[in-house]
């Protein structure tokens, strides 16, 4: 694996060079596609040559292990790049750091065998569903019918448990969002929703005897050897790490079953890692992955976005390799519910990989119905709609720094640069003011979050000063109800999931690619993807 890592780290150096040297957005897109194609081809060629005979779960684990190493590498590579500035030295340094980091993490994993988990809840029911690591406000719901699910709880009530009433739910590792501590509270006109009845799990971590810890270690090492035919230290460390991620949850399931409580379904969030539970565990058929986000592919992702918006999945393997990060092939695509199109797309791409490289990566091409769903909300808020002014709802993404983008993706993310986010606002605000429209912005996250760059909050202040009362910033954590009609137009930054989830409050919903950047996006999708200020003006003028 060291040889593969050296080649991938060489691509990483080239990616940083490309990010630094490309000026125009389309140049960056071309460079990104080239780097992604090279990295994906390296990974799956290596997998085909070294592990074609292993089973599906072992092959997927190998891809996940490589992705895990790349994730860690991305977070620190810019400092190394700035320090060494020479490709060969960069590669050698990164390989050495990967080895040192792997040894350190292996020691940490070994130390964690001394712990076990005890479930304190009595759970006095015959069967229960278990949800893993959902935020507290995912359980908010509004009594009565709603036209689409605005939270996990509303999805349960309207889809999963339709006609069944409340089901017992044990919530493991429930948490409060981190940005809430920076807020000063909400105005009095916000209405508090109901909370879906559920039981937070009370878990205690205790130490076990050395003998039991040693026996557990031997058992896990044995299962690793049974799964992986050709082993190395990187894979062993990743297996132990994945084991400890899932250990807590498996212990909850086992203790429930020991108490004669049947675990019916296991709900997880789509971006949360569940460790070894992913690899064909006995709980596999009970796992349901709640997906509320459709923002996996870095824009413009021309071929993939066209396929998703038309419903015709005709993407070639070369196009998929160009427009997908290697990390995306580790996205857990098993049994998604909610917004399912991205899961289906990744399964389809894996089927192309299997055919081209003679592999057997796990694939599920059952195309489940996509049910628009948001993840959560904390309050209810009514928006008054009248005919005296047209209303436009904006759903943006906050721009991110170069450093943050490079720490997250192979070639950074210039689609989320300040330049493009500013262009998005400039086009919309000028047209909204020209045609006397009210703009309602629902930000992606809390504006109190320290993670927001100062340039983003400064941009919003500029817009507020320019547009005055025509620009209203809403709380990102409210569920909106419209009174007196629907909002005339919803405009989403490509390709945020709000495009799919605003049917209940917007008459029409579009993605918008701003002027000077629109040429990089897919053509011919005018009813869904609006390209440039001229086409957007035609829409706003006709409201």
């Amino acid at each position: 694996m060291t040889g593969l890592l050296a080649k991938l780290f060489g691509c990483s150096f080239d990616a940083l060079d490309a990010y630094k040297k490309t000026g125009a957005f389309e140049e960056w897109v071309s460079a990104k596609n080239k780097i992604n194609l090279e990295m994906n081809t390296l990974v799956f060629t290596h997998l085909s040559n070294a592990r074609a005979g292993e089973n599906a779960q072992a092959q997927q684990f190998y891809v996940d292990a490589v992705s895990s190493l790349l994730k860690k590498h991305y977070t620190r590579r810019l400092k190394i790049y700035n320090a060494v500035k020479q490709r060969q030295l960069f590669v050698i340094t990164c390989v050495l750091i990967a080895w040192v980091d792997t040894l350190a993490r292996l020691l940490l994993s070994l130390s964690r065998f001394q712990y076990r988990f005890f479930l304190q809840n009595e759970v006095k029911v015959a069967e229960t569903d278990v949800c893993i690591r959902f935020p507290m406000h995912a359980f908010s719901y509004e009594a009565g019918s709603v036209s689409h699910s605005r939270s996990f709880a509303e999805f349960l009530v309207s889809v999963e448990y339709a006609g069944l009433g409340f089901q017992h739910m044990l919530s493991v590792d429930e948490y409060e969002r981190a940005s809430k501590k920076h807020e000063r509270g909400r105005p009095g006109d916000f209405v508090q929703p109901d909370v879906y009845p559920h039981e937070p799990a009370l878990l205690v971590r205790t130490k076990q005897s050395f003998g039991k810890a040693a026996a557990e270690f031997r058992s896990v090492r044995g299962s690793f050897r049974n799964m992986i035919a050709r082993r190395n230290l990187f894979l062993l460390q990743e297996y132990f790490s994945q084991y400890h991620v899932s250990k807590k949850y498996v212990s909850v399931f086992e203790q429930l079953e020991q108490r004669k409580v049947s675990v019916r379904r296991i709900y997880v969030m789509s971006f949360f890692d569940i460790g070894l539970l992913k690899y064909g565990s006995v709980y596999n058929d009970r796992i349901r992955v709640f997906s509320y986000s459709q923002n996996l592919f870095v824009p413009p992702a021309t071929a993939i976005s066209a396929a998703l918006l038309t419903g015709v999945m005709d993407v070639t393997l070369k196009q998929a390799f160009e427009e997908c990060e290697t990390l995306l092939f580790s996205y857990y695509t098993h049994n998604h519910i909610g917004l399912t199109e991205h899961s289906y797309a990744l399964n389809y791409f894996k089927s192309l990989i299997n055919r081209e490289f003679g592999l057997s990566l796990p694939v599920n091409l059952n195309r489940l119905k996509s049910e628009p769903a948001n993840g959560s909300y904390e309050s209810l808020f009514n928006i008054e709609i009248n005919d005296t002014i047209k209303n436009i709802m904006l759903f943006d993404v906050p721009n991110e720094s170069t450093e943050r983008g490079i720490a997250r993706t192979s070639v950074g993310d210039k689609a989320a640069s300040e330049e493009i986010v500013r262009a998005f606002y400039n086009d919309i605000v000028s047209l909204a003011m020209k045609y006397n429209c009210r703009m309602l912005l629902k930000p992606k996250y809390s504006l109190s979050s320290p993670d927001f760059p100062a340039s983003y909050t400064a941009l919003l202040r500029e817009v507020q000063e320019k547009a005055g009362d025509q620009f209203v910033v809403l709380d990102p954590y409210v569920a909106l109800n419209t009174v007196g009609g629907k909002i005339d137009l919803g405009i989403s930054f490509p390709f945020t999931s709000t495009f799919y989830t605003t049917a209940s409050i917007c008459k029409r919903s579009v993605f918008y690619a701003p002027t000077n950047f629109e040429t990089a996006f897919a053509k011919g999708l005018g009813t869904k993807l609006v390209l440039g200020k001229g086409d957007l003006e035609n829409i706003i003028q006709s409201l």
Side-chain angles (χ1 to χ4, degrees):
M1 186 182 261
T2 300
L4 174 62
L5 288 179
K7 293 176 183 177
L8 292 173
F9 294 160
C11 291
S12 176
F13 181 92
D14 297 339
L16 294 176
D17 256 4
Y19 189 94
K20 182 179 179 181
K21 293 174 182 176
T22 53
F25 181 65
E26 288 188 71
E27 291 178 0
W28 169 78
V29 172
S30 178
K32 175 180 71 70
N33 289 353
K34 180 182 177 182
I35 294 292
N36 283 344
L37 175 62
E38 185 176 357
M39 293 182 74
N40 287 322
T41 302
L42 280 170
V43 170
F44 292 104
T45 299
H46 180 87
L47 182 59
S48 177
N49 292 336
R51 302 183 180 271
E54 296 187 1
N55 65 39
Q57 301 302 334
Q59 290 179 6
Q60 184 62 58
F61 175 78
Y62 188 83
V63 175
D64 295 350
V66 172
S67 294
S68 178
L69 287 163
L70 282 174
K71 279 183 187 177
K72 298 180 185 79
H73 164 73
Y74 288 163
T75 62
R76 56 196 172 216
R77 62 174 172 165
L78 188 59
K79 288 184 179 178
I80 302 169
Y81 176 84
N82 290 333
V84 300
K85 300 184 184 301
Q86 199 273 334
R87 192 179 192 274
Q88 187 176 8
L89 185 56
F90 175 88
V91 170
I92 293 171
T93 303
C94 290
V95 169
L96 289 173
I97 289 174
W99 270 104
V100 171
D101 183 71
T102 295
L103 289 169
R105 290 175 183 273
L106 181 60
L107 291 174
L108 177 63
S109 292
L110 293 174
S111 71
R112 294 171 70 186
F113 279 102
Q114 65 183 305
Y115 298 111
R116 62 177 180 176
F117 296 91
F118 179 71
L119 179 66
Q120 292 186 307
N121 306 64
E122 292 186 20
V123 191
K124 298 179 179 179
V125 293
E127 63 177 15
T128 185
D129 287 346
V130 177
C131 58
I132 296 175
R133 198 158 173 73
F134 280 75
M136 294 171 62
H137 52 292
F139 297 96
S140 299
Y141 82 101
E142 185 177 14
S145 62
V146 292
S147 56
H148 85 276
S149 305
R150 300 164 303 177
S151 69
F152 171 61
E154 288 186 357
F155 186 85
L156 290 178
V157 171
S158 61
V159 180
E160 292 286 279
Y161 301 156
L164 298 177
F166 293 128
Q167 303 293 300
H168 188 271
M169 174 74 72
L170 184 68
S171 176
V172 182
D173 281 349
E174 186 176 319
Y175 67 94
E176 185 174 73
R177 62 179 172 88
S179 60
K180 195 166 186 177
K181 63 184 178 183
H182 300 284
E183 297 175 352
R184 298 179 180 177
R186 285 187 162 78
D189 52 355
F190 286 88
V191 178
Q192 294 306 305
D194 295 317
V195 178
Y196 185 89
H198 64 287
E199 184 175 354
L202 303 175
L203 283 167
V204 176
R205 190 180 76 165
T206 60
K207 284 190 175 183
Q208 60 183 344
S209 68
F210 177 80
K212 288 184 178 179
E216 183 183 343
F217 165 77
R218 288 192 297 270
S219 174
V220 176
R221 185 183 60 182
S223 63
F224 168 71
R225 288 175 171 175
N226 290 335
M227 179 181 180
I228 308 297
R230 298 177 61 182
R231 299 176 286 274
N232 60 52
L233 200 62
F234 290 112
L235 297 179
L236 178 64
Q237 185 277 319
E238 181 64 18
Y239 193 88
F240 281 169
S241 292
Q242 292 284 299
Y243 169 76
H244 287 299
V245 169
S246 56
K247 177 180 177 177
K248 179 193 297 185
Y249 310 122
V250 172
S251 69
V252 169
F253 307 151
E254 290 177 345
Q255 289 176 61
L256 287 171
E257 289 166 357
Q258 287 167 6
R259 303 173 194 179
K260 309 301 181 185
V261 179
S262 174
V263 177
R264 191 177 66 149
R265 289 177 174 174
I266 301 165
Y267 291 96
V268 298
M269 298 282 268
S270 58
F271 290 105
F272 179 65
D273 187 14
I274 55 174
L276 294 184
L277 286 171
K278 300 189 295 286
Y279 306 111
S281 72
V282 295
Y283 303 102
N284 221 46
D285 291 339
R286 288 178 259 182
I287 294 172
R288 297 173 73 77
V289 182
F290 178 64
S291 180
Y292 63 94
S293 175
Q294 296 284 267
N295 196 21
L296 289 178
F297 306 105
V298 175
T302 308
I304 295 175
S305 62
L308 291 170
L309 290 174
T310 61
V312 180
M313 189 54 63
D314 55 0
V315 180
T316 66
L317 180 59
K318 181 176 182 291
Q319 290 170 327
F321 271 8
E322 288 177 338
E323 297 181 359
C324 289
E325 297 278 322
T326 300
L327 307 184
L328 279 183
F329 295 108
S330 285
Y331 185 69
Y332 186 51
T333 55
H334 171 76
N335 206 15
H336 275 230
I337 54 176
L339 290 165
T340 60
E341 290 301 316
H342 282 205
S343 172
Y344 174 79
L346 285 169
N347 274 305
Y348 177 75
F349 301 156
K350 284 184 184 180
S351 73
L352 299 181
I353 292 169
N354 286 344
R355 190 184 314 156
E356 177 68 21
F357 292 94
L359 297 171
S360 57
L361 295 167
V363 167
N364 181 1
L365 291 177
N366 293 328
R367 198 161 192 170
L368 299 177
K369 181 183 177 183
S370 193
E371 301 275 0
N374 296 120
S376 57
Y377 63 88
E378 295 178 355
S379 304
L380 295 161
F381 186 69
N382 292 333
I383 298 177
E384 296 286 342
I385 303 295
N386 58 61
D387 295 332
T388 61
I389 190 170
K390 297 299 182 182
N391 292 278
I392 298 174
M393 178 74 81
L394 304 182
F395 303 94
D396 70 350
V397 295
N399 61 278
E400 64 181 7
S401 65
T402 296
E403 293 76 14
R404 193 178 182 93
I406 284 172
R408 183 172 58 83
T409 66
S410 60
V411 198
D413 186 0
K414 286 195 176 182
S417 66
E418 180 184 352
E419 184 182 17
I420 294 184
V421 174
R422 182 174 287 275
F424 176 82
Y425 272 104
N426 286 344
D427 287 357
I428 296 170
V429 171
S430 64
L431 291 173
M433 294 183 69
K434 180 178 179 178
Y435 293 100
N436 192 33
C437 299
R438 180 173 65 159
M439 294 165 283
L440 305 164
L441 169 65
K442 194 165 187 288
K444 198 173 182 70
Y445 307 109
S446 170
L447 297 181
S448 303
S449 171
D451 293 332
F452 274 143
S455 57
Y456 176 70
T457 50
L459 171 60
L460 294 187
R461 283 196 299 271
E462 289 176 31
V463 173
Q464 286 177 313
E465 290 171 4
K466 182 178 181 179
D469 292 341
Q470 283 180 252
F471 184 73
V472 180
V473 180
L474 302 171
D475 189 303
Y477 298 104
V478 298
L480 300 174
N481 293 318
T482 55
V483 179
K486 286 188 175 184
I487 292 164
D488 298 281
L489 178 65
I491 303 178
S492 294
F493 192 92
F495 289 102
T496 57
S497 56
T498 49
F499 171 85
Y500 300 94
T501 59
T502 54
S504 65
I505 59 172
C506 295
K507 295 178 182 177
R508 181 178 179 182
S509 185
V510 299
F511 288 120
Y512 178 61
T515 300
N516 296 328
F517 304 98
E518 78 277 18
T519 54
F521 287 79
K523 311 299 187 293
L525 301 169
T527 59
K528 296 180 179 179
L529 175 59
V530 179
L531 303 175
K533 190 174 180 180
D535 287 348
L536 183 62
E537 181 166 13
N538 291 337
I539 293 174
I540 292 177
Q541 190 176 13
S542 66
L543 293 177

